[in-house]
Every structure is written in C-alpha cells, then in structure tokens.
Amino acid sequence: MVPQVRPNYANGLRRWSLRPGDQWHLDEVFLKINGRLHYLWRAVDQDGDVLDILVQRHRDKKAAKRFFRKLLKGLRYVPRVIITDKLRTYRAARAEALPSVEHCQDNWRNNRAENSHQPTRLRERVMRRFKSAGHAQRFSLSLRDHHIPLQSRETSVPIW
C-alpha cells in the first residue's frame, strides 16, 4: 500500500509560499461567450501575481461583493489598500465588504491589473472566443498557476 504523498506535498508548498502583497489591484474585462456578454474579474497584488479570478454575467454591486467575498475567503487576510478603476460598483461593494480598507481610484494606478488581462485577450483572439463561462474561468486560473514573474530593473543582469 502506497501512502498518499500528494496532499502532504501540496500543503508543504502552500506553507512555504510567500504571502501575497497588501496592495490589491482589481479590474474587470468583458468577454463574449456564446454571443452573451460576461465579465472576467481579476485581482492582482503589487508584484503582479494573480490572486483570484471570477467570471460572472453582471458588473453590478452584487457581483463586486461576490468577488470580494471570494478573494477574502481564498486569502484569509485583508489588504491595506485596494486600487481600482473608476467603476462605482467597487466603491459601493468595498463600503460593505471592506469598510476599513483604503480605496484608491487614481488614473493609471490600475495598469498592473489591466496588463494582466493580455494573455486572456490573446487566447480569446487566437481561439476565436471562449465556449462557456467555465472554460474562460479554467483557462484564466491555469494562467495564474503558470505565472512567471518578471525581473525588476534593479536585479536584471546587463546583456553586454
């Protein structure tokens, strides 16, 4: 009889993995799935690591609150600041779900989340749309698991 090694190995990896940052960049992008408009909600920390992804049909206060609950449930800590675009549903949902968290909506501060949508857009263009919301969700989560962080300028080695 072979002991189960995989769960112990996964738990060990989770224990030793770094905790995500305390600045969350939140953004949503629309996807057309079977001719119907869906929204891909994405949260990224200040290092560019994808925290969580959710595909929903709506972009209202209820949808934003659901995304916040999913984020808090998965990460089990509250961020210091959230940075969003100027969509009003973020402000309303944050007031109920995260009242003690600072909220920043300045122009161009949310570019980190905007840039994290690029692989999804490329995949959508190459494969000519997603077939279902679950398909889009699974693909986006697979990108999160295979994310390779870029080196910062200070640590990069010159090529010459």
Side-chain angles (χ1 to χ4, degrees), residues 7-94:
N8 294 334
Y9 183 71
N11 290 337
L13 283 177
R14 257 186 243 111
R15 184 177 50 224
W16 290 104
S17 66
L18 295 175
R19 180 176 159 179
D22 61 350
Q23 282 186 8
W24 291 357
H25 299 260
L26 306 174
D27 193 40
E28 77 289 336
V29 65
F30 70 91
L31 299 173
K32 211 159 222 192
I33 301 172
N34 287 334
R36 301 179 79 175
L37 204 59
H38 288 74
Y39 296 94
L40 178 87
W41 298 74
R42 185 184 310 256
V44 179
D45 71 352
Q46 71 259 21
D47 299 323
D49 297 326
V50 177
L51 302 173
D52 211 347
I53 294 164
L54 182 65
V55 177
Q56 298 187 83
R57 286 286 320 270
H58 301 284
R59 195 174 73 155
D60 55 359
K61 177 181 165 184
K62 183 178 175 183
K65 279 176 52 177
R66 182 175 177 210
F67 184 55
F68 282 160
R69 280 195 309 269
K70 186 173 189 253
L71 270 171
L72 293 172
K73 181 181 173 188
L75 296 174
R76 300 175 195 260
Y77 78 97
V78 178
R80 181 178 50 86
V81 61
I82 59 172
I83 301 168
T84 65
D85 53 7
K86 297 192 178 184
L87 184 66
R88 291 182 181 167
T89 57
Y90 286 121
R91 189 178 335 148
R94 186 208 50 93

